[in-house]
């Protein structure tokens, strides 16, 4: 009986140690999880990679409010790996800001079904033993010897101060210039860029712009976004080919007959002697905006 108790106690210790030092790979509801490190130090970045298979035509929302206690999230990358099966990859870049045994608690990740409703799955629960980079905590930091006194002539002393001020001013100007450039060059995500371009086009003076050019640009904005999002060259397609291509990716909430009629109006406005009125222009602008938001 005593031997059995010792065996059980050892088994519990082995399982507990494995849960600390070997990050688990979680599998459930078509979710796979991988960690790129088994040993983590405080402040050390490591990656948690989620590979999830969603229902057909579902997609992960870019607006995720995810936070982990005890861990900082440097960034989250979301990649669409394949359409059939519908697989997404999420890569979390994490760092722990204190030592000890820390728990990575499950957090919900939201995705959108083809009918527009929300759904979710959870990140895995994992335990990490975060170590300190200082191995021997018994040894304190040795006293630093005071520097030797330097005897400088007043002229050289003033010259050094001026040089330091000049260097400081240059560093400040370079930093300010880099900060201004980085603020100006923050790229927009493709959907936001497309919606902004569409708004600017619609707000332009319709009296000064040819309606054919207006409809051509509106079609171009939509096709460029779809080409980027779904990896096919929509710009080179005829209207019939374009309709067949997007028919497969349209959410169920969008009426396919309305899309067909909408594309037909574009053809008429761009190539035939057809001049839509303001109400028709506004209706087609709103429909284009809706397609950009839902695709």
């Amino acid at each position: 009986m005593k031997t059995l108790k010792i065996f059980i106690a050892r088994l519990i210790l082995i399982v507990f140690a494995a849960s600390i030092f070997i990050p688990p790979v979680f599998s459930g509801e078509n979710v796979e999880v991988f960690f790129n490190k088994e040993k983590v130090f405080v402040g050390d970045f490591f990656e948690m990679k989620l590979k999830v298979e969603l229902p057909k035509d579902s997609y992960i929302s870019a607006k995720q409010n995810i936070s982990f206690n005890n861990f900082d999230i440097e960034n989250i990358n979301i990649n669409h790996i394949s359409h059939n099966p519908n697989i997404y990859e999420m890569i979390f870049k994490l760092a722990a800001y204190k030592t000890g045994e820390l728990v990575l608690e499950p957090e919900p990740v939201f995705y959108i079904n083809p009918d527009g409703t929300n759904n979710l799955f959870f990140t895995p629960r994992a335990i990490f033993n975060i170590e300190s980079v200082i191995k021997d905590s018994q040894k304190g930091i040795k006293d630093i010897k005071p520097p030797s006194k330097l005897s400088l002539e007043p002229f050289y002393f003033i010259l050094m101060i001026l040089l330091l001020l000049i260097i400081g001013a240059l560093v400040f100007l370079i930093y300010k210039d880099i900060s201004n450039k980085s603020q100006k060059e923050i790229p927009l995500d493709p959907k936001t860029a497309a919606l902004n371009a569409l708004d600017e086009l619609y707000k332009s003076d319709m009296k000064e712009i040819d309606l054919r050019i207006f409809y051509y640009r509106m079609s171009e904005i939509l096709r460029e976004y779809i080409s980027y999002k779904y990896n096919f060259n929509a710009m080179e397609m005829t209207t019939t080919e374009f309709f067949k291509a997007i028919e497969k990716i349209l959410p169920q909430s969008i009426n396919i007959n309305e899309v067909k009629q909408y594309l037909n109006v574009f053809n008429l406005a761009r190539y035939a002697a057809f001049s839509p009125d303001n109400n028709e222009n506004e209706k087609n602008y709103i429909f284009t905006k809706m397609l950009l938001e839902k695709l």
Side-chain angles (χ1 to χ4, degrees):
M1 192 67 181
K2 184 178 180 181
T3 305
L4 180 61
K5 288 180 180 180
I6 293 172
F7 174 78
I8 293 173
R10 287 181 177 176
L11 183 62
I12 292 171
L13 286 174
I14 292 170
V15 172
F16 179 74
S19 67
I20 293 176
F21 295 108
I22 303 176
V25 175
F26 175 85
S27 179
E29 299 184 358
N30 297 323
V31 178
E32 296 179 15
V33 181
F34 308 92
F35 295 91
N36 71 331
K37 291 183 180 180
E38 294 182 1
K39 189 175 184 180
V40 183
F41 292 94
V42 64
D44 189 17
F45 285 105
F46 65 100
E47 289 185 356
M48 177 176 71
K49 183 185 292 185
L50 274 71
K51 200 171 183 182
V52 55
E53 181 179 348
L54 299 179
K56 185 180 178 183
D57 296 331
S58 298
Y59 61 95
I60 293 179
S61 172
K63 297 179 180 179
Q64 299 287 341
N65 186 20
I66 300 174
S67 62
F68 297 106
N69 289 333
N70 302 322
F71 294 87
D72 283 332
I73 300 177
E74 175 72 7
N75 58 52
I76 304 173
N77 288 325
I78 302 175
N79 302 312
H80 195 190
I81 303 301
S82 67
H83 293 282
N84 189 17
N86 188 20
I87 295 177
Y88 277 82
E89 180 185 76
M90 297 183 71
I91 301 176
F92 295 78
K93 190 175 182 182
L94 306 172
Y97 54 83
K98 62 182 181 180
T99 59
E101 186 180 286
L102 304 182
V103 179
L104 192 71
E105 295 289 356
E107 280 291 319
V109 178
F110 292 91
Y111 65 93
I112 300 174
N113 291 317
D115 61 0
T117 58
N118 289 328
N119 209 333
L120 59 86
F121 61 90
F122 286 87
T123 63
R125 183 180 188 274
I127 300 175
F128 289 90
N129 189 17
I130 308 300
E131 298 183 9
S132 171
V133 292
I134 302 174
K135 296 296 183 183
D136 191 354
S137 59
Q138 301 299 321
K139 295 181 180 179
I141 299 174
K142 295 181 178 179
D143 293 337
I144 300 173
K145 294 181 179 179
S148 303
K149 291 184 179 180
L150 299 176
S151 58
L152 295 175
E153 296 292 334
F155 172 77
Y156 294 111
F157 182 74
I158 294 171
L159 184 62
M160 286 182 64
I161 291 176
L162 288 174
L163 285 173
L164 288 173
L165 288 174
I166 292 170
I167 293 171
L170 287 173
V171 170
F172 174 75
L173 290 174
I174 293 170
Y175 172 76
K176 189 175 181 181
D177 184 57
I178 293 173
S179 298
N180 291 335
K181 285 182 179 179
S182 63
Q183 290 175 0
K184 291 177 183 177
E185 296 174 0
I186 296 175
L188 294 173
D189 66 273
K191 180 174 289 189
T192 302
L195 289 170
N196 288 348
L198 182 66
D199 286 341
E200 288 179 11
L201 176 67
Y202 184 70
K203 290 175 183 177
S204 59
D205 192 347
M206 299 297 291
K207 294 179 181 178
E208 296 183 3
I209 187 172
D210 191 319
L211 277 179
R212 288 178 299 173
I213 295 175
F214 172 75
Y215 275 87
Y216 179 83
R217 278 290 299 126
M218 193 153 56
S219 175
E220 186 179 48
I221 291 168
L222 177 64
R223 286 179 180 234
E224 282 181 348
Y225 170 71
I226 289 176
S227 296
Y228 176 86
K229 177 73 181 292
Y230 296 99
N231 298 319
F232 61 82
N233 190 2
M235 300 300 296
E236 300 297 328
M237 292 180 176
T238 64
T239 302
T240 303
E241 291 171 339
F242 181 58
F243 175 73
K244 288 181 179 179
I246 65 172
E247 185 179 9
K248 303 172 184 177
I249 60 175
L250 287 173
Q252 294 180 355
S253 58
I254 297 178
N255 189 317
I256 197 168
N257 292 324
E258 290 184 3
V259 176
K260 198 170 186 178
Q261 183 180 357
Y262 158 83
L263 294 176
N264 187 43
V265 170
F266 268 60
N267 265 351
L268 291 172
R270 289 162 57 196
Y271 304 114
F274 172 67
S275 298
D277 57 21
N278 290 336
N279 291 333
E280 184 72 20
N281 294 335
E282 182 180 7
K283 176 183 175 183
N284 289 316
Y285 156 73
I286 293 172
F287 198 83
T288 305
K289 187 174 183 179
M290 182 271 294
L291 287 175
L292 286 171
E293 290 173 342
K294 291 194 175 183
L295 288 175

